[in-house]
DNA sequence: TAACTGTTATATTTGTAGTATAACAGCTAT
DNA sequence: ATAGCTGTTATACTACAAATATAACAGTTA
């Protein structure tokens, strides 16, 4: 799991962390049951405070994406990832709406927008083939 | 122009303002050349400080969506709205990526995601018919 | 002149982000 | 058993963004 942080970004470090872990799970490079680095080791690896990592982990746990065992450590959710709940769909719409509105304003048509979404989906999705097959 | 603010939201008021104005322009309810309320009147209407409105206006001007004339007031960009610049497309991808990743993680397939985007696009787009025809 | 525009300046309050230490409780391997 | 590792909690601090509150300035318009 390679983490790339942008310290100059206006998006908080713990959010960048969450995004990259979510992307790792979605893309299949992090599989259910797989262990994640401890708060201290990850914090030291990427050069941030342990509380920053802990905040990301705690929020990911609240969303049901990982499990935290007090002494064992952190693992990607092994008991089935949460599905398409109404709460998630509502949040998804609130996030998509302003992006889509601005795209319309700048003259992007529907099929070009759908093409962009498809491109990103396939970039992230594991079926695009990131596995190493020796 | 009806503005709906959520004071409990974690998204800043000036961002909510920007989003709604962008949506208004994208949806055609705010047409190029049309005047927007002054910083003071809008601030007083929605019950916030004039600087909060001013910040939203200033950022919208920086993006090229509105014009601000020192004494005349604020107008929706009449000289052609900015198009699909590389900077915008980069920003668009950075915004879409985490949303799409989380959708994949929760098991949403591509066609369902595209359907959601299409639905929102048509909700916002003026061709969905918000005009009053007496 | 009065009333309106955006603009600028200053100050204050509040909350979040991030860091820095430190300690606690429980597990595990030496 | 001791040492070392887990997550967890607490406290304190700095830095910054968001939002408010006033106040004043410069230019336009009725």
């Amino acid at each position: 799991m390679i983490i790339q942080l942008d310290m100059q970004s206006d998006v908080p470090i713990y959010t960048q962390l969450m995004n990259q872990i979510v992307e790792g799970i979605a893309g299949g490079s992090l599989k259910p049951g797989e262990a994640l680095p401890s708060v201290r080791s990850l914090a030291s690896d990427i050069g941030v405070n342990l509380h920053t990592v802990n905040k990301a982990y705690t929020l990911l746990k609240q969303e049901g994406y990982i499990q935290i065992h007090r002494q064992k450590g952190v693992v990607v959710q092994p008991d089935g990832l949460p599905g398409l709940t109404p709460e998630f769909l509502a949040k998804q719409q609130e996030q998509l709406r302003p992006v889509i509105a601005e795209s319309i304003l700048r003259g992007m048509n529907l099929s070009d927008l759908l093409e962009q979404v498809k491109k990103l989906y396939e970039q992230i999705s594991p079926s695009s083939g990131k596995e190493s097959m020796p």
Side-chain angles (χ1 to χ4, degrees), chain A:
Chain A
M1 189 66 195
I2 301 158
I3 301 283
Q4 285 289 12
L5 291 186
D6 180 3
M7 294 311 207
Q8 315 307 322
S9 169
D10 57 338
V11 27
I13 298 177
Y14 74 90
T15 303
Q16 294 186 44
L17 267 174
M18 291 178 68
N19 286 343
Q20 298 205 22
I21 292 173
V22 163
E23 216 175 292
I25 303 175
S29 66
L30 291 177
K31 301 189 200 311
E34 188 172 338
L36 270 64
S38 75
V39 288
R40 285 178 179 81
S41 69
L42 181 51
S44 132
D45 276 4
I46 60 184
V48 301
N49 191 273
L50 114 178
H51 288 107
T52 306
V53 176
N54 189 252
K55 183 168 185 177
Y57 278 177
T58 302
L59 291 171
L60 286 170
K61 170 184 145 200
Q62 277 177 24
E63 303 196 45
Y65 298 158
I66 63 176
Q67 276 187 4
I68 303 183
H69 298 92
R70 195 173 181 110
Q71 283 81 20
K72 295 179 184 176
V74 182
V75 245
V76 178
Q77 183 61 258
D79 304 335
L81 289 163
L84 294 173
T85 63
E87 299 80 36
F88 171 75
L89 289 172
K91 191 187 77 173
Q92 188 196 48
Q93 287 195 19
E94 280 183 8
Q95 290 174 318
L96 285 177
R97 178 172 275 269
V99 185
I100 297 175
E102 201 167 351
S103 304
I104 296 174
L105 184 149
R106 294 187 94 116
M108 197 175 216
N109 61 35
L110 177 55
S111 54
D112 284 347
L113 178 59
L114 294 180
E115 193 54 43
Q116 282 288 321
V117 173
K118 184 182 172 195
K119 193 186 73 181
L120 287 167
Y121 189 101
E122 288 170 348
Q123 258 179 33
I124 300 169
S125 177
S127 50
S128 82
K130 259 192 216 168
E131 312 89 354
S132 60
M133 292 191 168

